[in-house]
Amino acid sequence: MSERAERLAAAARERDLDLLLVSGEPNVRWLTGFTGSSAVAVLRVAADAPGGVFVTDFRYVTQASEQVPPLWDRRQATQELLGAGLGEHFPVWDGPGLPRVGFDDARVTVAELERVRDAIGDRAELVPAAGLVERLRELKDSGEVSRIREAAHLADHALTEVLGRGLVGRTEAQIGLDLEVTIRRHGAEAISFPPIIASGAHGALPHAVPRATVIEPGVLVTIDWGAQLDGYCSDCTRTFAAGAEPGPEERAIYDLVLEAQQAALAAVRPGPLGREIDAVARDIITAAGHGEHFGHGLGHGVGLEIHEGPRISRLGETALAPQMTVTVEPGVYIPGLCGVRIEDLVVVTETGADVLNTLPTALQVVD
């Protein structure tokens, strides 16, 4: 935690900040180790004084004493944290002039900002500073990579068990519930997100909600799922054939998506921008006449949140770097026919990508 505080302080100094207000559960957890749902931290940016003030409420005082290291001055607020509670425990500033206090304008609402202004008054100058923590979170340390890898393996084992109970004749909703329960039974603290189970034409909805609809033989079934372990998420998608080989049109779409996914995986390495990796898969799909049927980005970062930086899309301007964990998930969605998505979660290495998922990507027929 002290190393993270030092890195964040260095990034804040580059913005000419004196203090940094850190809010939002994933950012506070990454910085302080606190796993509760109610806390803010004010980081001292001075090079010789990493740490600062950590503020929580009555419910989490004991938990904070166990999880938050002593470099943080742990305080209990009696009022709203992003407001009067912060005002109660705002650090005393002994430097020249008013301290420049960065706040995350991407997470702090307008109403919260007004409460902070009212609480701090004329003791500080508030400066928008979104993205400082998130950019550091993009690069995972070895412990974070291990947790994400373990979550991915757990999720793979859970789906393998569920598939062993069959697809044909069960409803999408039954498969989704079975998968959720199995993930928890395998040791996950939660699912990363509600599983997507989409069969036949329903698969043309990228974020389809499982229905009480029986899966028929001969259709494609897209399953998007993940496990959360020790706060870290996994994310994977596979498309299966239910009971029998699909028709030639569906098979051609599957082969196209697999070709695009494998080409994009081979392109992942340090250096290219997210949009450049996206273009590898997108160009293949577009050349096959399905550009309009691939409307989402190729991938995204995964960590304490299921969707975090960097973006692997047409808007992705971040260069890939070692220790980033990102998804590679092209898809083609044909209204009225089917949808195919194939997704792997990878760690960028010094020379390429380490795929964390263990399930094959070749089309499998599942009874």
Side-chain angles (χ1 to χ4, degrees):
M1 295 299 114
S2 61
E3 186 268 340
R4 292 180 181 179
E6 290 171 2
R7 288 169 55 207
L8 182 57
R13 285 195 296 274
E14 293 180 359
R15 299 272 194 99
D16 294 322
L17 299 175
D18 300 301
L19 300 168
L20 182 66
L21 173 60
V22 179
S23 58
E25 289 180 42
N27 285 347
V28 171
R29 178 171 184 161
W30 179 87
L31 179 62
T32 70
F34 179 68
T35 63
S37 63
S38 177
V40 296
V42 181
L43 176 71
R44 290 190 302 266
V45 172
D48 60 346
V53 174
F54 174 92
V55 185
T56 188
D57 64 47
F58 170 80
R59 297 169 297 169
Y60 295 107
V61 171
T62 299
Q63 183 175 338
S65 69
E66 296 170 347
Q67 293 181 332
V68 179
L71 64 93
W72 295 95
D73 182 4
R74 297 171 293 236
R75 307 278 188 87
Q76 176 185 340
T78 58
Q79 303 179 65
E80 197 165 29
L81 294 185
L82 278 174
L86 179 63
E88 285 182 278
H89 300 291
F90 192 75
V92 175
W93 176 249
D94 56 6
L98 291 179
R100 286 170 50 85
V101 181
F103 71 94
D104 190 343
D105 48 309
R107 290 182 182 265
V108 174
T109 68
V110 173
E112 288 169 338
L113 179 59
E114 288 305 310
R115 289 196 293 269
V116 170
R117 282 190 173 127
D118 289 343
I120 295 176
D122 58 2
R123 289 181 284 170
E125 175 190 357
L126 290 169
V127 180
L132 284 178
V133 181
E134 285 85 352
R135 274 191 283 279
L136 294 179
R137 283 174 45 203
E138 289 179 359
L139 300 176
K140 273 57 177 184
D141 61 33
S142 59
E144 291 176 300
V145 171
S146 294
R147 293 183 185 95
I148 296 169
R149 187 188 304 274
E150 189 174 351
H153 289 182
L154 185 155
D156 287 351
H157 292 317
L159 181 64
T160 299
E161 181 179 319
V162 170
L163 293 177
R165 293 189 274 273
L167 292 177
V168 177
R170 304 174 74 189
T171 69
E172 295 173 353
Q174 287 171 337
I175 298 295
L177 179 59
D178 189 5
L179 185 53
E180 288 190 42
V181 171
T182 304
I183 286 172
R184 292 296 296 265
R185 192 157 39 76
H186 276 255
E189 64 193 33
I191 52 175
S192 296
F193 53 90
I196 296 168
I197 316 292
S199 62
H202 194 51
L205 282 66
H207 278 185
V209 175
R211 307 164 297 172
T213 299
V214 172
I215 297 173
E216 302 290 342
V219 301
L220 294 177
V221 182
T222 297
I223 300 179
D224 190 347
W225 81 109
Q228 183 176 317
L229 194 64
D230 197 17
Y232 287 85
C233 300
S234 74
D235 193 2
C236 186
T237 307
R238 291 291 185 268
T239 301
F240 302 95
E245 283 282 338
E249 188 173 1
E250 291 96 324
R251 179 71 205 217
I253 293 168
Y254 189 96
D255 291 343
L256 172 63
V257 173
L258 180 58
E259 178 189 357
Q261 203 251 359
Q262 294 301 306
L265 280 176
V268 172
R269 64 186 186 280
L273 303 180
R275 59 178 169 80
E276 294 174 322
I277 303 299
D278 177 274
V280 172
R282 195 168 303 279
D283 288 350
I284 291 172
I285 292 172
T286 300
H290 287 293
E292 65 180 298
H293 298 134
F294 178 26
H296 58 72
L298 179 67
H300 54 86
V302 175
L304 287 170
E305 295 178 284
I306 190 60
H307 290 100
E308 56 183 50
R311 299 178 73 171
I312 313 297
S313 72
R314 285 171 287 193
L315 301 178
E317 295 297 331
T318 299
L320 295 188
Q323 299 302 107
M324 288 181 172
T325 52
V326 299
T327 65
V328 177
E329 49 179 306
V332 170
Y333 310 91
I334 312 295
L337 180 65
C338 69
V340 174
R341 183 166 64 255
I342 303 171
E343 173 187 19
D344 279 311
L345 179 59
V346 308
V347 180
V348 181
T349 67
E350 295 290 344
T351 57
D354 178 12
V355 178
L356 301 184
N357 302 108
T358 60
L359 299 182
T361 52
L363 182 61
Q364 297 180 72
V365 177
V366 178
D367 293 334

